[in-house]
Amino acid sequence: MENELKQLHGKAKERQSENKKFFTKLKKRPPKHLDYLMTELHEKEFERTDCLLCSNCCKTTSPLFTQTDIDRISRHLRMRPSDFVIEYLRLDEDQDYVLQQVPCAFLGPDNHCSIYDTRPKACKEFPHTNRKKFQNINHLTLKNVSICPAAFNIVEALKKRVNF
């Protein structure tokens, strides 16, 4: 998996310009059934992708934590929300709560998440490839294709399906 992740970063960088053009075109003129197509491609990819073999998202990036996430997770950990924030989070340049450090403190050596059932919404939705109005999250998808092999594969499959 380590080798695949190194290759992923290079392939994503190689295709960054192409992907930017693709997403610009997609945003201007999304295919009629894009949401349906994205759900189909997402489901197909995750039938063959096991996130526990990779967990690169948990090892290299931080999700955004909403106040709802903070309240839910701190309750699960039997902590006060303010203590949870002090121990695990920081405010980033956009004034969003993110992890103080990566890899995620809740990621175990077996790539399992110790707060999986109460994880942040951003983690539940990652890599965001089955979101409605997918064409509106270009910036996020461009970032995610260099982090997540599944996101990369989904975008490549989408380009083929829409004849880009």
Side-chain angles (χ1 to χ4, degrees):
M1 181 52 70
E2 291 294 320
N3 194 32
E4 185 180 337
L5 290 173
K6 285 179 187 173
Q7 290 177 357
L8 172 69
H9 186 71
K11 288 193 289 189
K13 196 171 186 172
E14 244 175 54
R15 296 195 180 132
Q16 187 171 18
S17 176
E18 176 184 306
N19 285 342
K20 281 183 181 180
K21 288 177 189 168
F22 173 68
F23 286 122
T24 299
K25 180 180 176 184
L26 192 66
K27 189 166 187 155
K28 286 180 183 172
R29 295 191 59 157
K32 205 176 220 180
H33 303 292
L34 181 61
D35 290 345
Y36 172 78
L37 178 58
M38 290 309 299
T39 298
E40 177 190 326
L41 294 173
H42 177 91
E43 288 174 1
K44 191 174 183 179
E45 180 62 30
F46 281 99
E47 284 174 5
R48 64 177 181 254
T49 298
D50 181 357
C51 292
L52 292 175
L53 297 177
C54 177
S55 298
N56 196 44
C57 52
C58 305
K59 294 172 184 172
T60 62
T61 62
S62 174
L64 300 181
F65 285 75
T66 65
Q67 189 59 51
T68 303
D69 293 330
I70 293 167
D71 293 341
R72 183 181 60 256
I73 296 165
S74 61
R75 194 170 37 253
H76 172 77
L77 296 173
R78 295 188 170 104
M79 299 175 80
R80 290 193 316 234
S82 58
D83 292 338
F84 176 78
V85 169
I86 290 167
E87 187 165 341
Y88 295 104
L89 305 180
R90 67 176 175 80
L91 284 172
D92 69 5
E93 58 279 352
D94 296 322
Q95 300 304 299
D96 291 317
Y97 280 111
V98 295
L99 291 168
Q100 288 179 13
Q101 61 189 34
V102 291
C104 178
F106 303 106
L107 181 67
D110 59 356
N111 287 343
H112 281 83
C113 175
S114 64
I115 60 166
Y116 187 80
D117 292 334
T118 57
R119 70 195 183 278
K121 182 181 178 196
C123 294
K124 286 179 187 172
E125 294 178 351
F126 191 84
H128 312 286
T129 47
N130 62 345
R131 282 189 27 186
K132 292 192 185 301
K133 299 190 180 188
F134 174 77
Q135 71 274 12
N136 293 333
I137 59 166
N138 299 350
H139 64 288
L140 185 59
T141 304
L142 278 170
K143 180 179 168 192
N144 290 345
V145 297
S146 67
I147 297 167
C148 175
F152 181 89
N153 293 339
I154 291 166
V155 168
E156 292 301 307
L158 176 62
K159 290 190 293 190
K160 287 178 184 167
R161 288 286 291 272
V162 298
N163 299 317
F164 180 78

